[in-house]
Each structure stands twice: as structure tokens, then as C-alpha cells.
Amino acid sequence: MNRTPTYVAVLATALVLSVGGALGLAGGAPTDSGATTGPAATPAVAPAGTSQSLDETITALQDRLRRLPEDDSAWATLALAYVEQARLTGDPSYYPKAEQAVATSLDLRPGGNVAAHSSAAALAAARHDFDEALGEADRALAIAPRDGNALAVRVDALTELGRYAEQERAVRRADRLQPGLPVAARYSYVEELRGDLTGATRVLERSLASASMADRAFLSTQIAELERRRGLLGRAERSLAEARRAGPDYFAAEVSRARLAVAQGDLTVAERRWAGVVRRVPLPEYLLELGEIQLVRGRTAAADQQFSVIRTTTRLFDASGVNTDLETAIFEADHGSPARALRMARAEWSARQSIHVADALAWALHVNGRDAKALELSRRATRLGTQEARLWMHRGLIEAALGRAAEARRHLRRGLAADPGVSPWQAAQARDALQRLDR
Amino acid sequence: MRTHPSVSRRSVALTVTGGLLAAAGMAGIGPSGAAASSHREAPLIAGAPQYDTTDVYAFRSPDRQDTITLIANWLPFSEPAGGPNFYQFATDARYNIKIDNDGDARPDVTYRWTFKDNYRSRDTFLYNNGPVTTLNDENLNYYQTYRLTQIRDGREQVLVRNRIVVPSDVGEGSMPDYEALREQGTTNVGTGNSRLQSFAGQAEDPFFLDLRVFDLLYGGDLSEAGDDTLAGFNVNSVALQVPQRMLADGRDAEDNPIIGVWSTTDRRGVNGRYRQVSRLGMPLVNEVVIPVRDKDRFNASNPRRDAQFLDYVTKPELPKVVEAVYDFEAPKEPRNDLVSVFLTGLEGLNQPEGVRPSEQLRLNMSTPVTDDPDRLGAVAGDAQGFPNGRRLGDDVLDIALQASQGVLLGPDQDPESGDDNLGDGVDVNDVAFGDAFPYLGLPARGSDDAPHDEAQMNRAGAAGSADNGAGWLPSFGDGSGISSQVVPATALGLGLVALFAGVAGMVRRPARRTRSIA
């Protein structure tokens, strides 16, 4: 499940401008997870020798603030840098720092402080508080209607709140007011959510034509994600090679390479790559992918180790004010406590009704034996026609439990076809169910 | 010569502009605040330097006086050692220089550049595969070509098509004779006195200033300043030298010599339509006059509707800041004196008849070219300088700051001491400008070990104007040919300066003034 990191990413990125103009948000690398967030962000990683590392940026800002502690916009910028840093490192302890920097900026300039509200919106979204993100984005836009960052975060917030009609209007408006890669990336995600992977790819490819090197790593990676899900593994591999040329250590590309190894059926390589991903950014959704591959390969003890790290990490996120209920609910449903899964999914559902939350709640209801209610939610989760493996597998499994064999077969097949890079443990559940149906 | 070991130029570049402009691909940061030079404009644009106009220049060509040279720059803070990260123009953008030749705030002539990428081999991301000795060299693997279109009276005419953009100077090994490439990059269109010259490519950023001067907005202190913080950074430029009559209303430059110039960048959206995302005419307006919250709005705006920004000119923020920092009382508002500087042009110098106020860089094409340009331009009595157009060497920042010196220093200032002048301590660009088109300095080289250190070598002493009155009452010298054109002191001196120091009617109190020590 690609929620947390992605979101973090999203925001960070969304708000973060990189010099190459790379900003990105990106269509969420939809993963197989039931909980993909939209845009995944682009850490603008530039070719060696040109990139100014985020650390250096943060140090420069801190130096400036020691000299000029009243520079409200530098405080707001620093907040954004911390949000981005949290995303790149997976270390949530940057969020409280970001919060403090935003507060300082607002103290210095309480009125008309676009940058602070923009950064606050990014921070809230990174912490999955999408109501707050929407509120802050709207506050920024009330002051500066063309603020690109706020326009972008607003789209993200509406997406995660499950307000899809508004999401579409917001993205068109953003494109009218502030065209650019951040908007294009979200535009692509709008199409992807509605099941149009070809259209989503086309938007990204158009952006690629005028993208800086830094943006290319991000765009090529997103294109590779879409190509893999369309079953075009050779093309996905080429796109990832492009991404490597453009940004040799671009993190999102590593995640995509791990999924590609799964799609190519090489679980040895896949496990090695996922382990590399986790070493770099130990987020729960990545740990879950690694653990599930290890389960499939019969390495139960290793898998248990990942799962216990997930529990620890989750506690850490909670302490930093990051809401991880959605990720945790799905993890608990499959590998932990069904009761806790349901509690968390319900809590999240009361806050927002996106398709991914609907899916998490459906699945939590199912593992608690509440299949009729689960089907209702699962239908909501698939209502946009989103081509994500887990949404359809869950629906098929729930239908199978209800004895609706024909629908179950159709949806399980659809789920298995949706993404060959989906977690092999998840795919195995779906395949076993299909076999039982066909017996 | 002072250096500031504690503050690296790079970190200044990074933070002053807030926009983290440095190298492409840096995980940059968005909104940031202080007014800085155009090198940090609207938050969004700051993150998209390919679309961000940094400066516009318009001047009568010293070596072909029947022509005007127009220059616009994008992509500030391009590090010379860009490695494989070349600095290219965007291919989904239209780069425009617009001319209003009748004062109605509508563009009458538009020059539009569009760019395409070309690869000799798609198998490599390398910029070049060996030494590049000509623009058509096979070793130049990646290059851009441009098309230049003139739009006038609703008709589009392609002036230049498919010409090569002079590539980034990646260094000694790859481009042993970069100057030759620069020369090949100038395209001639037409012949005789209707000949145009066109250039697109990389140049050293001609703007020179110490960005830290803007720190005073945050209680910073000018004694820190004195380095050209843009030294050794490159930009991407387009330059066009065009006969005056092509720009003039009715093609009559004699009767209609005053033009207004500004640059815009349009960017294509997902929906296929182009939107204006950057606008720049007069220097410093976008960064000093327009508050941060309105920068995106200004960047998307059109001069016809500049009345919406009027309050920022008549009630500027900066004098209030200066008042707080330097203890000078800000002049009374509304500041109608500023209106002529920023919105209408100066009466008798470069104000078109019946002008509709709008922010443009206004140039009187008939003002004679001086052999001895003064970096302080019209303020120092050199009528051919800023704000009558803008030459590459015009010290626009000091024109604003220095003009206030007489007041800041009081009548008892010792005229012999040149180093008490308020300014940013940077009086010249770190590299020389050329004496023929395109005039721009050659870019800092990718092979240069320390491209940003040259400023230290070239910093001029604080050559304040010798006559303290000069900043106030421009006396156009003999041969200026416009003795009849009296530039109102309030307009110039006050206009520009007041923005910074709020000079008009200023009451001097014991000031916490700092010096810029050269």
C-alpha cells in the first residue's frame, strides 16, 4: 500500500519546486495496493554533480535564518524542505520540525502568508490529514488564487477525500491557472483512477518532451508503472532504464524496479530489490511488500521480522502525528488482528470516503465475516473502474465468500490481470480462490 | 577586498532567492519570500526557471544606431558545471518580447521564440561525444533549434526558422573555442539597413547585484553586501537587433520614437492551450513592487489591466521597511511620483503621448547614444541609460539606492570619500560585455574550477557619482541633444529611490546607516 509514502511524497513534491522545474507529483504509482494515493512525488534527483542535496538546501536555509530570523518566507520554505526530507528518508520526526517552522512563519506574518499556508497544506497532506490540507490550500488560494502549490495540494486533498467530481474540476482549473508538470502529473492520475491507463500515459509522455533531466527520472518512472500494469514489461524496463540515466539514484524508480521483478516472475531478484527499498526508506507499505514476498518464498521468520518492524514504525508515525490507519488496517486484516483492522478502517472511513478507504473497509469487514456489508463497500471501491489489482481481487474474494461465483471469477481474473507486479502473496490468495471456484 | 568566508555565494544564491534556484534538479523549494531580483519571482515560477523571465534589456545599438537591441533572459542561476544536465529552453513554451509603440498598453509588435530538441543519437544522454568545434559538429549530440516569428497587425511572419541555439559551454575539453560557436550562433536576416540579427544561447547573467541587499527587508545589514552574487552563473538568452522603423508606430521612428517593451512566457497546459506564466518589463518591479502574494497574478496579467496594481506603486511597501531599518521617514502617500517611473515613462524623456499607465520598460529610440555611458544612467545625467530603456551595464539597483545618497548622507558628506555611498557595493558585472551584437558576456565555463570567484577580482570600488547633486537633478550634458527635456527630479530621483529609501520629503533622523565598504 502505497499510501503513506506516496502521500508524503506527494505533498512534498507538490509543494516543492525543484529547480529543474521538477516538481512532481505524480500519478500515484498505483501499486497493487488497495491504497494507493495519488500522486507520488518526485524527488528531484538530478544527475550526479548537479544536484543540490536537500540536506544542503536545509543547511543553507538554516544559515539564513540564523542571520535573518525574521524571514517568514524562509521559515515556510524550510517547513517544506522538512516535509520533503521526511518523504525521502521515511523519517517522520521531520514533521514536528516542519510544523514548528510553519508556526514560526505564521507568527512573523499572520496575514496574507501564502507560503506558510501552502507549506501547512503540504504538511497536513503528508500526514494524511486531508481535511486540514484542503482547508490550508483554500486559505492559500484565498490570498493568491494562482498559487501553484496550493492548487496542486487541493487536487490531492479532494482525491484522498473521495470527492472525485470536484477533483476533476480542480485539476482542470489548476491547468488553466498554472500549467506545468505538477498539474500534468495529477491530470494523469485523474485518468488513471478512472481506468484509462493509456490516456494517463499519454499525458506523462507529453510532459516528458519538455522536461528537465530531474523531471525525466520522475516521469519515466511513472510511465514505467503504467506500462507494467498494461502488461508491457519490455517497455517498462526501457522506461526504467531512462529513469536511471536521468537520475541514477531516484528512489521511486527502485520501487518500480522491485515491482517489475515480481511481474517478470523473478522472486529472488524481487526480494533483493524490495530489501534495498526498505533499507533506504523503511515505510510500512514497503515492509509489507517485502514480508509478503518472503512469506511466498517460505521465509516465515524473515517475514515476521518485517511485520514486527511495521508495528514499531506505525507507533512512531502515530507519535509524529502521521495518520496511518489505512495502511495499518490492510496490514492487520491480512497479517494481524482482524478486530483492530476493522476499528481502524472504520475510523478512516468516518474521515474520508475515497475508493482506497472503501477497499480497506471492505476488506476489514470481510476478514471479520461481514461479507454482505463488505460487498457494498467493495462496489464503491471499484466504481470508477480503476485498474488496480487489489481492488478487484478483494471484490472477487468477497463475492466468492458470498457464493456469487460468476462475478467472483470475473473480478478475480480482472484483478490478476490488472498488475503483474502485485504482491505475489496477494495474487496467490486470488488464484487459490479461482481454483476453488473452478473445482 | 572583503570576502565573506562565512557565507558561501552558493548558499546566498540559494537562500536569498528563497527559491533554491541553484542547480537544476535540486529538490527545490517553493514559495519563498523576500523580494529579490527577478531571479526569484513568483513562487511557482521560481521552481520552473525555464519559464521565468529574469531580465529584459532594450537599448539603441551603439554600433548600429538605426537599430534597437532587445534581450531577454531565462533560467537564472545556471551552474556552469551542469554536467549532463544541460540548460535548455522549454519546448512547451512560447518566449515573447512584446512592444507597445503607441502607449495604449497593447502589444503592437510581438517577437516570439519557440524551441525544439534535436538528438543526433538517442542512444546516449551525452551532450557531446567529443570536441565541438562548429555548431553543426557531429559531436554535438544534443542541440536545440529555434524559430523566431514576428507578429504585427495580426500577421505572423517567420523571421528565422530552424537555427541552432548556441549550446551550454560545458568546458575547455568539449568546446575548445566557445567564442567561435557564439559567433556562428548569430543569424543575419535580410541585408543592408533592414538587416536583423538574431541570437539564442547561453550567456553569463548580465545582471549584477548583491542579492543580500534584499536582506534589509528582514533586518539584514548592507555591510554584508559587496559581492556580485550572480557572478559565474549563466542564463539562457535571446537577443534580437532590429531596425527602429520595424518597432515604431506607423514604421516612423522619427515621429514615434517611444516604445514600451516587456517579455512574457507562455506555457502549454494539458488541455493544449497556452497560458502566460511570466511577465517582466522594468527590473525590480516584479520583485520589489509586487508583493509575494500577488506575484502569480502579476505574472499572468496583461498591461491593459495594470490599474489593479496601482496601489502597490502609489503606496509601496519598501519605504516603510526602510523606515524601520534605517530610520528614515517614508514619504507621504500616494506616491504619484512613482507612477511616472513605473507606469507612464518620464515626461519629456520617454513618456508616450496619451499614455495608458502600465508597467513597461520604456525607451526613447531617438536619445543619442553616448560614448561614455554612466552606470547610474539617467539619474547621473546620462539620458540614454535606465530608466530610458536599459543597457547591459546599467546598475539598476544602485540607481535606486545611490540616488538617495545626498539625502542619506546629509549635506555634510565629504564629497571626496567615494565609499560612503549607499549601494550594494557591486558596480559592474563580473565579465565584460561585448561591443557588438549580441553584446552579452560569454558564459562561465563548465571547466572553470571556481566560476563564482571572479566577482572578487572585478569588484569596482564604490565609485559613487562625484557630484552629490547628480543623483538628484539630472543635468543632461552637452551633446545630449535633449536639453529641452527636463527630467523632473521628483520623477527620477524620488521615483526610483523612494522605492527603497523613501526620499521625498524625507526627514533625516540619526540613522543607523551602514556602509558598503569596497
Side-chain angles (χ1 to χ4, degrees):
Chain A
M1 73 201 15
N2 198 5
R3 289 228 33 139
T4 301
T6 327
Y7 219 88
V8 171
V10 169
L11 274 166
T13 330
L15 297 181
V16 170
L17 302 176
S18 92
V19 170
L23 224 249
L25 278 204
T31 57
D32 32 342
S33 87
T36 295
T37 42
T42 181
V45 174
T50 62
S51 88
Q52 164 82 18
S53 74
L54 199 56
D55 280 341
E56 223 180 304
T57 298
I58 287 173
T59 304
L61 283 163
Q62 288 168 333
D63 286 349
R64 177 175 176 83
L65 288 164
R66 268 190 287 276
R67 244 172 356 107
L68 302 167
E70 290 169 40
D71 185 345
D72 56 276
S73 62
W75 282 109
T77 305
L78 181 63
L80 206 51
Y82 284 142
V83 172
E84 172 79 341
Q85 189 76 325
R87 180 176 68 73
L88 289 177
T89 60
D91 177 356
S93 68
Y94 284 101
Y95 293 131
K97 292 182 188 171
E99 190 171 10
Q100 208 171 12
V102 166
T104 307
S105 179
L106 281 170
D107 282 349
L108 290 165
R109 185 189 293 268
N113 193 338
V114 183
H117 291 298
S118 241
S119 295
L123 174 63
R127 288 172 154 180
H128 295 193
D129 183 346
F130 299 107
D131 277 317
E132 173 77 4
L134 185 62
E136 288 288 3
D138 283 336
R139 273 188 279 282
L141 292 169
I143 302 162
R146 292 170 183 272
D147 185 83
N149 300 324
L151 286 167
V153 178
R154 186 159 187 275
V155 177
D156 300 337
L158 291 167
T159 305
E160 296 303 327
L161 291 166
R163 291 157 60 173
Y164 299 107
E166 289 168 274
Q167 169 212 37
E168 198 163 350
R169 281 198 299 276
V171 85
R172 287 186 200 290
R173 179 172 157 224
D175 185 52
R176 273 199 311 277
L177 294 176
Q178 228 27 297
L181 182 62
V183 177
R186 289 171 173 80
Y187 225 107
S188 167
Y189 190 56
V190 165
E191 310 214 332
E192 183 188 315
L193 275 177
R194 288 156 181 78
D196 182 1
L197 300 195
T198 312
T201 310
R202 212 173 24 237
V203 171
L204 296 174
E205 281 171 342
R206 268 207 304 267
S207 297
L208 200 55
S210 55
S212 68
M213 293 298 267
D215 294 335
R216 284 178 204 195
F218 157 73
L219 287 165
S220 296
T221 301
Q222 287 306 316
I223 289 168
E225 282 290 306
L226 292 163
E227 286 167 335
R228 184 194 70 244
R229 288 162 54 202
R230 290 160 65 198
L232 308 170
L233 303 191
R235 277 167 66 173
E237 191 153 16
R238 277 194 297 279
S239 295
L240 286 169
E242 293 273 310
R244 192 190 298 282
R245 276 201 293 259
D249 51 0
Y250 179 50
F251 175 71
E254 282 188 45
V255 177
S256 193
R257 283 185 199 104
R259 293 192 205 287
L260 184 62
V262 172
Q264 290 165 333
D266 190 339
L267 291 192
T268 310
V269 172
E271 182 178 350
R272 195 176 64 237
R273 288 183 183 168
W274 274 117
V277 166
V278 164
R279 263 196 308 278
R280 226 173 121 176
V281 179
L283 284 170
E285 71 202 62
Y286 301 151
L287 290 158
L288 182 60
E289 295 277 352
L290 176 59
E292 289 187 344
I293 288 177
Q294 289 167 336
L295 280 185
V296 168
R297 302 189 71 209
R299 294 159 38 70
T300 316
D304 282 342
Q305 210 176 352
Q306 312 310 333
F307 297 158
S308 83
V309 177
I310 294 178
R311 292 189 183 93
T312 314
T313 311
T314 302
R315 279 197 294 275
L316 191 64
F317 273 117
D318 287 346
S320 306
V322 181
N323 160 5
T324 60
D325 288 353
L326 186 57
E327 287 74 18
T328 313
I330 293 204
F331 163 72
E332 292 287 355
D334 282 333
H335 306 286
S337 150
R340 196 179 312 157
L342 188 54
R343 201 166 55 242
M344 292 182 154
R346 279 191 173 136
E348 192 70 5
W349 183 249
S350 69
R352 56 197 190 97
Q353 295 82 44
S354 74
I355 59 170
H356 295 112
V357 182
D359 173 64
L361 181 54
W363 196 237
L365 287 162
H366 164 75
V367 299
N368 283 278
R370 310 266 314 276
D371 286 316
K373 184 73 181 162
L375 181 56
E376 195 182 311
L377 269 300
S378 189
R379 283 176 174 156
R380 290 193 66 163
T382 48
R383 74 185 187 276
L384 299 176
T386 313
Q387 195 178 317
E388 278 178 40
R390 209 177 295 211
L391 303 180
W392 295 102
M393 289 179 186
H394 284 165
R395 182 163 168 184
L397 290 163
I398 292 165
E399 285 161 340
L402 288 164
R404 308 171 75 106
E407 291 159 53
R409 273 194 204 92
R410 193 165 66 243
H411 295 141
L412 287 167
R413 289 199 186 101
R414 183 167 178 177
L416 284 164
D419 181 2
V422 71
S423 156
W425 187 86
Q426 300 285 336
Q429 312 295 310
R431 265 194 298 274
D432 292 350
L434 260 180
Q435 271 170 359
R436 283 194 301 274
L437 286 165
D438 289 338
R439 267 203 297 273
Chain B
M1 184 179 333
R2 268 175 334 129
T3 55
H4 305 286
S6 58
V7 186
S8 79
R9 181 167 292 107
R10 177 167 189 104
S11 75
V12 170
L14 275 179
T15 58
V16 143
T17 59
L20 300 190
L21 306 163
M26 179 177 65
I29 301 282
S32 139
S37 94
S38 292
H39 297 259
R40 215 222 104 263
E41 290 187 357
L44 195 75
I45 293 270
Q50 290 171 291
Y51 306 88
D52 175 10
T53 317
T54 66
D55 285 286
V56 175
Y57 299 86
F59 53 91
R60 196 167 171 181
S61 317
D63 52 336
R64 289 183 71 208
Q65 302 196 8
D66 57 342
T67 68
I68 298 298
T69 297
L70 304 168
I71 295 175
N73 297 330
W74 287 267
L75 273 157
F77 290 98
S78 299
E79 272 285 6
N85 209 350
F86 11 98
Y87 298 105
Q88 67 272 60
F89 287 99
T91 54
D92 64 349
R94 300 188 308 208
Y95 295 92
N96 307 301
I97 293 181
K98 299 188 175 185
I99 314 288
D100 168 14
N101 60 22
D102 54 10
D104 65 356
R106 286 184 216 277
D108 300 296
V109 187
T110 296
Y111 292 101
R112 172 169 293 161
W113 286 259
T114 51
F115 296 86
K116 270 206 187 98
D117 288 335
N118 304 268
Y119 294 87
R120 286 188 216 275
S121 159
R122 279 283 188 177
D123 300 338
T124 171
F125 257 98
L126 285 176
Y127 199 52
N128 57 294
N129 305 313
V132 175
T133 53
T134 67
L135 283 186
N136 295 308
D137 200 312
E138 289 291 316
N139 286 335
L140 186 59
N141 183 50
Y142 166 83
Y143 59 96
Q144 289 195 301
T145 47
Y146 71 97
R147 161 180 292 206
L148 168 59
T149 307
Q150 176 183 267
I151 302 160
R152 182 169 183 153
D153 309 323
R155 281 200 312 280
E156 295 202 13
Q157 183 192 353
V158 178
L159 300 175
V160 175
R161 77 177 77 226
N162 224 14
R163 295 310 298 248
I164 293 184
V165 177
V166 180
S168 299
D169 184 353
V170 292
E172 193 74 45
S174 299
M175 296 175 182
D177 186 1
Y178 187 82
E179 214 161 335
L181 301 179
R182 158 70 69 89
E183 278 165 26
Q184 294 162 31
T186 294
T187 297
N188 284 288
V189 184
T191 52
N193 57 8
S194 64
R195 179 166 60 104
L196 280 73
Q197 295 191 85
S198 165
F199 164 85
Q202 199 182 33
E204 203 271 346
D205 192 338
F207 197 41
F208 50 95
L209 83 167
D210 189 320
L211 287 167
R212 278 167 297 183
V213 79
F214 295 104
D215 289 357
L216 63 80
L217 290 170
Y218 300 104
D221 141 9
L222 277 184
S223 63
E224 286 283 319
D227 291 343
D228 179 354
T229 41
L230 300 184
F233 286 110
N234 296 325
V235 290
N236 275 25
S237 302
V238 300
L240 177 66
Q241 188 170 80
V242 57
Q244 292 196 13
R245 69 175 179 288
M246 289 180 67
L247 302 176
D249 187 28
R251 299 185 196 260
D252 182 349
E254 221 148 290
D255 277 359
N256 305 308
I258 296 175
I259 58 170
V261 181
W262 73 100
S263 162
T264 62
T265 316
D266 306 331
R267 188 170 187 177
R268 194 172 60 228
V270 175
N271 64 10
R273 283 200 288 274
Y274 284 89
R275 302 285 170 184
Q276 180 185 309
V277 295
S278 177
R279 170 186 167 191
L280 192 134
M282 291 276 279
L284 306 173
V285 167
N286 197 317
E287 35 297 306
V288 171
V289 180
I290 307 288
V292 168
R293 66 179 176 277
D294 273 335
K295 289 200 192 303
D296 290 328
R297 185 155 64 102
F298 180 79
N299 274 320
S301 67
N302 122 23
R304 291 284 295 175
R305 303 194 51 251
D306 278 356
Q308 65 182 316
F309 302 112
L310 187 64
D311 277 358
Y312 299 142
V313 177
T314 57
K315 301 174 191 162
E317 281 181 50
L318 205 55
K320 302 183 186 80
V321 175
V322 172
E323 179 172 32
V325 177
Y326 285 91
D327 238 10
F328 287 112
E329 199 172 308
K332 288 212 176 22
E333 295 172 347
R335 300 292 310 283
N336 293 322
D337 54 315
L338 291 181
V339 171
S340 60
V341 174
F342 289 109
L343 299 176
T344 62
L346 303 165
E347 212 176 336
L349 183 63
N350 59 353
Q351 182 178 120
E353 222 170 308
V355 63
R356 178 184 173 117
S358 71
E359 194 275 294
Q360 301 178 27
L361 178 64
R362 296 183 193 273
L363 170 69
N364 184 332
M365 301 189 286
S366 69
T367 309
V369 173
T370 173
D371 290 339
D372 183 22
D374 190 303
R375 74 183 175 91
L376 296 180
V379 169
D382 174 3
Q384 196 224 339
F386 180 79
N388 182 11
R390 184 181 176 191
R391 298 168 304 201
L392 292 168
D394 287 340
D395 191 345
V396 297
L397 194 94
D398 277 22
I399 289 172
L401 287 167
Q402 291 257 6
S404 64
Q405 72 185 358
V407 175
L408 289 173
L409 300 175
D412 55 353
Q413 196 234 348
D414 171 10
E416 296 307 302
S417 90
D419 57 358
D420 254 359
N421 297 315
L422 184 62
D424 65 352
V426 182
D427 298 344
V428 292
N429 191 40
D430 57 304
V431 299
F433 298 122
D435 48 16
F437 183 84
Y439 310 104
L440 292 154
L442 291 172
R445 314 210 69 173
S447 50
D448 186 341
D449 289 341
H452 309 302
D453 289 353
E454 298 198 16
Q456 298 289 353
M457 310 303 301
N458 290 331
R459 271 175 41 212
S465 71
D467 169 5
N468 278 318
W472 284 112
L473 293 168
S475 51
F476 294 111
D478 293 342
S480 72
I482 52 165
S483 50
S484 61
Q485 300 177 334
V486 176
V487 181
T490 45
L492 270 180
L494 302 187
L496 285 167
V497 170
L499 200 71
F500 284 88
V503 176
M506 217 159 55
V507 177
R508 181 156 190 266
R509 306 190 204 125
R512 291 183 288 125
R513 199 171 47 75
T514 56
R515 301 167 162 215
S516 155
I517 302 163

